Amino acid sequence: MALDPTTGGAPEAEYSVRGFATYLHAIDPVHQALPMGLLPQRSVRASPYLYSDAEISCLISATATLRTPLRRATFATLIGLLAVSGIRVGEAISLDRGDVDLAGGRLTIRFGKFAKTRELALHPSTVQALRSYRRIRDRSAPSTGMLAFFVSTAGTRLIYCNVHNTFQRLIRHVGLMPRSASCRPRIHDLRHTFAVRAMLDAYAAGEDGQTRITLLSTWLGHVHPRDTYWYLSAAPELMALAGQRLEAHLATGSGHR
């Protein structure tokens, strides 16, 4: 029986077959119970699709094809925020008005993974984009008393599956294609792209990579830096740069012998 690669493990049918075989074996030992290793569970993770600046710009521009000014502004601002902050989609749509401090230039993530709360500083250009969206939202969204910062055309909080579906429509409109069977453009990959860019910028500035990874792990809301390492391991440019730095370090060390 084939495993389901999209879930990272065995499908429910596997457990049904194993349970039924165990039931038959209990009734009559002539029926064989399935060994535990016969249908092993495997973890298959998608390869991150790292977006270029041009691709992100095209996706934001493609929001002009959406209906209503509010919907266009909502998705353009949402995609832009995900790209420049690296926050999770669920964290973005969970933002309330009070979590977006435009005067102080900060976001407060109160509903992060593992119930971790963190504050993130915003670039002035991001603050300006969020301020522009707030004006459109306050002018165009129905008055529902909703506390959400990002709202639908009905004035309600965005739903993840609807955000995902709209993003895939934009992907198709722009014409982005999978790079492999396991590397398809997803909205979550904006987060991967942010992480890789942060490390590339650190190396370009001559900063210590380990220090940047520690800071990046906290920024992304990861429990352990090893979770951040996985985000970075799929970037050929980053791995090549790290290899060059290692070779330079080894060459310097050998010169002192």
Side-chain angles (χ1 to χ4, degrees):
M1 178 183 298
L3 300 182
D4 184 356
T6 64
T7 60
E12 293 182 1
E14 173 187 333
Y15 301 103
S16 299
V17 170
R18 188 183 300 280
F20 185 62
T22 303
Y23 167 75
L24 292 178
H25 180 75
I27 296 177
D28 187 344
V30 72
H31 299 290
Q32 183 180 4
L34 297 180
M36 290 302 298
L38 183 61
L39 298 174
Q41 181 173 344
R42 298 181 299 181
S43 179
V44 180
R45 302 184 74 169
S47 299
Y49 184 105
L50 301 179
Y51 296 96
S52 67
D53 288 340
E55 288 173 332
I56 294 174
S57 295
C58 286
L59 286 169
I60 293 176
S61 296
T63 60
T65 63
L66 301 177
R67 292 183 297 174
T68 78
L70 176 59
R71 184 169 174 79
R72 293 193 287 269
T74 296
F75 278 91
T77 309
L78 176 62
I79 292 172
L81 180 62
L82 294 173
V84 301
S85 70
I87 63 176
R88 301 176 178 93
V89 179
E91 294 171 342
I93 63 180
S94 294
L95 288 171
D96 286 339
R97 295 170 186 252
D99 297 329
V100 184
D101 179 7
L102 298 180
R106 292 185 177 275
L107 283 184
T108 300
I109 308 297
R110 303 184 188 279
F111 301 100
K113 202 170 183 180
F114 308 111
K116 296 181 65 175
T117 297
R118 64 192 192 279
E119 284 192 352
L120 306 179
L122 299 174
H123 189 272
S125 62
T126 304
V127 172
Q128 182 57 42
L130 294 174
R131 183 175 287 115
S132 296
Y133 171 71
R134 186 177 64 179
R135 286 197 296 266
I136 296 174
R137 180 205 62 198
D138 291 346
R139 183 174 65 246
S140 306
S143 180
T144 60
M146 174 62 62
L147 295 178
F149 185 79
F150 290 107
V151 295
S152 69
T153 54
T156 56
R157 190 181 300 274
L158 299 177
I159 301 174
Y160 177 82
C161 63
N162 293 341
V163 170
H164 170 79
N165 291 338
T166 299
F167 187 80
Q168 287 303 310
R169 284 176 51 196
L170 297 175
I171 289 289
R172 291 191 294 270
H173 179 83
V174 171
L176 299 186
M177 302 299 293
R179 293 178 179 147
S180 70
S182 63
C183 183
R184 300 172 178 274
R186 306 168 303 155
I187 192 169
H188 186 69
D189 291 324
L190 291 169
R191 179 170 163 87
H192 286 275
T193 303
F194 171 86
V196 170
R197 295 281 182 81
M199 291 304 302
L200 288 174
D201 289 345
Y203 283 133
E207 298 179 12
D208 177 65
Q210 186 58 51
T211 300
R212 175 59 70 95
I213 286 180
T214 301
L215 293 173
L216 181 60
S217 182
T218 301
W219 179 281
L220 294 174
H222 286 156
V223 173
H224 195 280
R226 64 171 173 264
D227 300 320
T228 310
Y229 278 114
W230 184 84
Y231 269 58
L232 307 174
S233 62
E237 303 94 335
L238 190 55
M239 293 299 99
L241 186 55
Q244 292 170 8
R245 289 170 65 94
L246 178 60
E247 289 178 2
H249 174 74
L250 295 176
T252 302
S254 62
H256 290 289
R257 292 179 183 176

